[in-house]
Amino acid sequence: MKNIKITRKITQGMYVLTTKEGGCIVDAVSQVSAGDEPLISVAVMKSNYTNELLKKNNKFSLSILSKDVNPEIIKTFGFNTGRKINKFENTKTTKIEEIDVINDSIGYMVCEIVDFIENDTHTLFIGKVIEADVFEEKEPMSYGYYQEHKEELLKVTTQKGKTAWVCSVCGYIYYAEELPEDFRCPICKVGKEYFKKQ
Ligand code: FE
């Protein structure tokens, strides 16, 4: 393969997918049919807790994030697991069709799951839109924009006087002079080569 990074040029957005009791950030969303109740597909990593929850629930919601979304939403839903924290604790949401929709978004679609396809790493869920609304006319954040501005969006402040290693993918901070030999980020699982000393 000459350069797989070309896949980053596929126009994808940034969304918070929520279902009962959980949610995560997704980017691989697309509309697969039109009409009054269009079908939407979304890919969710198999290792995500949200994937487990989706298989127990028949509905999910996609909240569309704008370019000026509070980055805390991306951090909370993208770099934590619902197995350990309650992602809704510090996030303002509105219940629509029993699902928590993110208030700090351009709008949402609530979908009923009609089908799913498994591959090695992800499950592709297909949902029929049963409710949707636009909150605000704003420019959506694309996945490409997020990749380019990740560093400033996820900027972290470390404690003074301590050597900190910051995960360049998710912003996790590890305080130590050196990283352990087989170190991996406990949040996003990347190797130590993704850590920058601060
Ligand atoms: Fe990380």
Side-chain angles (χ1 to χ4, degrees):
M1 206 132 28
K2 290 200 182 80
N3 194 344
I4 192 65
K5 280 189 180 157
I6 191 66
T7 58
R8 287 196 183 167
K9 304 295 179 194
I10 297 173
T11 311
Q12 300 198 152
M14 289 286 283
Y15 313 89
V16 179
L17 178 147
T18 46
T19 185
K20 274 179 214 157
E21 293 150 31
C24 63
I25 296 284
V26 293
D27 61 275
V29 170
S30 66
Q31 182 171 345
V32 290
S33 78
D36 291 337
E37 291 179 323
L39 295 177
I40 303 287
S41 72
V42 54
V44 182
M45 268 170 77
K46 278 185 175 175
S47 55
N48 276 11
Y49 180 52
T50 306
N51 191 309
E52 246 174 70
L53 295 174
L54 283 167
K55 285 170 183 162
K56 286 194 273 183
N57 295 296
N58 63 335
K59 274 187 271 182
F60 63 83
S61 166
L62 290 164
S63 297
I64 292 94
L65 303 182
S66 76
K67 265 186 179 171
D68 58 6
V69 64
N70 182 346
E72 288 305 316
I73 291 187
I74 299 176
K75 288 188 202 167
T76 302
F77 284 86
F79 306 125
N80 288 288
T81 171
R83 285 189 184 97
K84 293 199 180 128
I85 69 152
N86 174 6
K87 297 186 179 182
F88 298 100
E89 203 167 60
N90 298 311
T91 312
K92 289 201 179 84
T93 60
T94 305
K95 274 243 194 295
I96 314 272
E97 299 278 336
E98 304 166 278
I99 311 276
D100 286 296
V101 161
I102 309 296
N103 290 6
D104 184 4
S105 71
I106 301 176
Y108 67 87
M109 295 169 268
V110 178
C111 301
E112 205 176 74
I113 298 173
V114 294
D115 207 352
F116 65 91
I117 299 162
E118 300 280 9
N119 64 39
D120 288 353
T121 55
H122 290 70
T123 306
L124 184 70
F125 291 93
I126 297 169
K128 181 174 78 179
V129 178
I130 55 166
E131 181 55 285
D133 199 8
V134 178
F135 291 146
E136 247 183 314
E137 289 295 346
K138 273 187 176 175
E139 198 179 340
M141 183 186 286
S142 71
Y143 185 65
Y145 177 91
Y146 165 72
Q147 285 296 341
E148 274 160 38
H149 297 83
K150 204 160 64 175
E151 230 155 283
E152 60 190 84
L153 285 167
L154 307 177
K155 184 172 59 206
V156 291
T157 31
T158 58
Q159 293 172 34
K160 276 202 183 102
K162 282 190 178 176
T163 307
W165 293 85
V166 181
C167 176
S168 62
V169 176
C170 76
Y172 172 80
I173 307 168
Y174 184 85
Y175 290 101
E177 278 311 310
E178 290 302 330
L179 287 173
E181 198 46 48
D182 295 325
F183 191 75
R184 288 198 162 270
C185 176
I187 306 296
C188 71
K189 315 291 181 209
V190 297
K192 60 195 280 191
E193 65 276 19
Y194 286 88
F195 277 75
K196 279 185 195 145
K197 200 174 181 173
Q198 271 192 20

